[in-house]
Amino acid sequence: MAARLTPQRQDYGMLSDRTRMRMVDRLRQAGIKDERVLAAMYEVPRHLFVDQALATRAYDDVSLPIGHAQTISQPLTVARMSELLLAGKHGGKILEIGTGCGYQTAVLLKLGVDVFSIERLGALLDKARQNLRAARLVHARLVHGDGHFGLPEAAPFDGIIMTAAARAVPEALIAQLAAGGRLIMPMGDAEQHLWHIENTPQGLQKTRLDPVKFVPLLPGRN
Ligand code: SAH
């Protein structure tokens, strides 16, 4: 049994390298320009963040189920949000809301930022911790809690990225943005858009961007 598994895994390793390269080409064609983001997307083994049965589809530009009625965002969305979050910046402290399977967390870690990530479902947070360990990315601070309240004890943040859709901007998050910091989040209900909200000296600057489809930001933790 073990003898049969080993060669398959090696084949899969080679396949995933080629398919990862193809994914990066597609991201470039779709308008992702930040080479740091493209490199991070290439480096993170996305197939480790989905169930084995879905691993062959891990590099397709689709969202996939990760259990508990949640999904891993499609690669283009992860790349786009990372690009918006870090445009013109190097390093810094980032708060992610909605850890899910930990894939976006992994991309942010590869981008060299300090990551704090909050997830309301304890079972998913455990899964994310395992996935990140398998990908050898262990230095994120993972927190089991309700992201509506942010993480005041670690604020202020240079950037906040939310990967579940809220009806309105959670006030606590605005209060935890550093000067010049930005919040990238999906907002809406049946119809959602990505929003870029920047804490400028003149006040909050809110810009509505692409239409998107995210699971809803829910209250409380489980
Ligand atoms: N970034 C994730 C996407 C996960 S989907 C990835 O790369 O896989 C969105 C996640 O947000 C889900 O896991 C969901 O449980 C979580 N979520 C929803 N409401 C939340 C809240 N109030 N606080 C923290 N996490 C929340």
Side-chain angles (χ1 to χ4, degrees):
M1 191 68 185
R4 263 169 59 204
L5 276 176
T6 311
Q8 273 179 2
R9 229 185 274 163
Q10 278 167 357
D11 290 346
Y12 189 69
M14 272 149 45
L15 170 76
S16 77
D17 187 56
R18 267 203 314 272
T19 46
R20 267 189 257 177
M21 216 116 77
R22 267 202 299 271
M23 176 185 79
V24 168
D25 287 343
R26 278 199 309 270
L27 293 174
R28 220 186 277 278
Q29 278 162 23
I32 303 298
K33 293 191 177 66
D34 192 327
E35 290 297 331
R36 299 172 300 173
V37 171
L38 291 166
M41 298 288 298
Y42 171 74
E43 285 165 20
V44 176
R46 189 169 152 97
H47 61 277
L48 295 182
F49 291 82
V50 298
D51 285 344
Q52 228 165 357
L54 295 171
T56 54
R57 297 180 60 200
Y59 298 93
D60 294 349
D61 201 33
V62 291
S63 58
L64 294 168
I66 53 173
H68 309 272
Q70 305 303 320
T71 52
I72 178 173
S73 304
Q74 64 188 95
L76 181 57
T77 306
V78 173
R80 173 94 168 117
M81 290 178 83
S82 305
E83 188 170 66
L84 289 166
L85 188 70
L86 297 181
K89 296 193 187 229
H90 289 278
K93 191 163 63 171
I94 300 297
L95 174 65
E96 177 189 26
I97 293 162
T99 318
C101 67
Y103 177 68
Q104 172 80 67
T105 319
V107 171
L108 291 173
L109 289 170
K110 277 282 181 205
L111 283 162
V113 292
D114 271 342
V115 188
F116 293 78
S117 186
I118 309 179
E119 169 59 53
R120 65 180 289 274
L121 298 177
L124 264 185
L125 196 67
D126 288 343
K127 210 167 176 178
R129 195 170 277 121
Q130 283 168 24
N131 294 342
L132 287 163
R133 203 176 295 138
R136 301 208 173 90
L137 291 161
V138 291
H139 41 291
R141 258 67 57 92
L142 303 182
V143 180
H144 184 204
D146 181 349
H148 279 99
F149 304 107
L151 202 60
E153 61 271 35
F157 297 99
D158 302 297
I160 302 179
I161 177 171
M162 192 190 282
T163 63
R167 300 277 185 94
V169 183
E171 278 310 313
L173 300 186
I174 296 297
Q176 292 173 32
L177 270 184
R182 58 181 76 125
L183 163 61
I184 309 295
M185 63 177 281
M187 195 156 40
D189 191 359
E191 203 181 288
Q192 302 171 5
H193 287 85
L194 213 51
W195 284 78
H196 181 285
I197 299 165
E198 193 153 359
N199 185 14
T200 76
Q202 291 79 41
L204 285 185
Q205 209 165 72
K206 301 185 187 175
T207 314
R208 197 181 88 162
L209 304 165
D210 338 359
V212 285
K213 188 88 196 108
F214 278 83
V215 295
L217 188 75
L218 298 173
R221 64 170 209 182
N222 263 297

